[in-house]
Amino acid sequence: MTSTLTNRFRRAARPPAAFGKNTRPGTTVTGHITAVAEEPKLKYGGAPDEVELDENGQPVTQLVITVHTPAGPRLLFVSWRMEQAIGQALEAAGDAEFETGATLSVTFTGPDPDYPKARMFTASYTPARHTNRGQ
């Protein structure tokens, strides 16, 4: 029980999520990447702290990217659709290396027309070596 409570308190003290369930389509979050972590994915609609498991009973993990925005740090909980958008942005930037210090911009474009519970995103990425030019 103590580790469950400790985990809940630690999550509560983290920066807020960049996108919530009431986020409107067209909302964009832009900032410098300050951290990237992989953590167990919580089960959608599950009990508090219930982790999603794969078919073998192993925890499913997800990427969590911290970006520093003008409003302060925000967390991007990377779904596979967001991951696709970020991957396309990396390709468009001509940069194969995802790195802290780079600028990441992610826009929630709306629900997937084929699966309304899923969200669609676009993204742009500027490598760190370009963000500090001229300063």
Side-chain angles (χ1 to χ4, degrees):
M1 178 75 121
T2 302
S3 76
T4 300
L5 285 175
T6 301
N7 288 338
R8 288 183 68 174
F9 289 131
R10 284 187 178 143
R11 273 197 296 281
R14 297 193 315 179
F19 301 105
K21 65 180 179 180
N22 296 320
T23 300
R24 295 176 187 256
T27 300
T28 300
V29 173
T30 302
H32 296 291
I33 300 166
T34 58
V36 179
E38 193 171 31
E39 62 183 45
K41 183 177 181 180
L42 296 180
K43 186 173 182 179
Y44 181 77
D49 292 326
E50 184 178 357
V51 173
E52 186 174 326
L53 303 175
D54 66 15
E55 60 276 354
N56 297 322
Q58 298 299 309
V60 174
T61 60
Q62 69 178 2
L63 287 176
V64 179
I65 301 170
T66 305
V67 292
H68 188 75
T69 71
R74 296 292 182 264
L75 298 177
L76 293 168
F77 293 93
V78 182
S79 65
W80 72 270
R81 286 175 174 84
M82 188 185 293
E83 191 171 325
Q84 285 180 320
I86 293 170
Q88 291 170 350
L90 279 169
E91 233 176 81
D95 201 85
E97 203 59 40
F98 188 81
E99 57 191 354
T100 58
T103 300
L104 179 63
S105 181
V106 178
T107 301
F108 167 52
T109 58
D112 183 332
D114 297 326
Y115 187 64
K117 289 184 179 181
R119 295 171 159 214
M120 302 296 290
F121 297 91
T122 59
S124 66
Y125 178 86
T126 305
R129 64 182 173 274
H130 296 299
T131 59
N132 294 325
R133 281 193 180 165
Q135 292 182 2

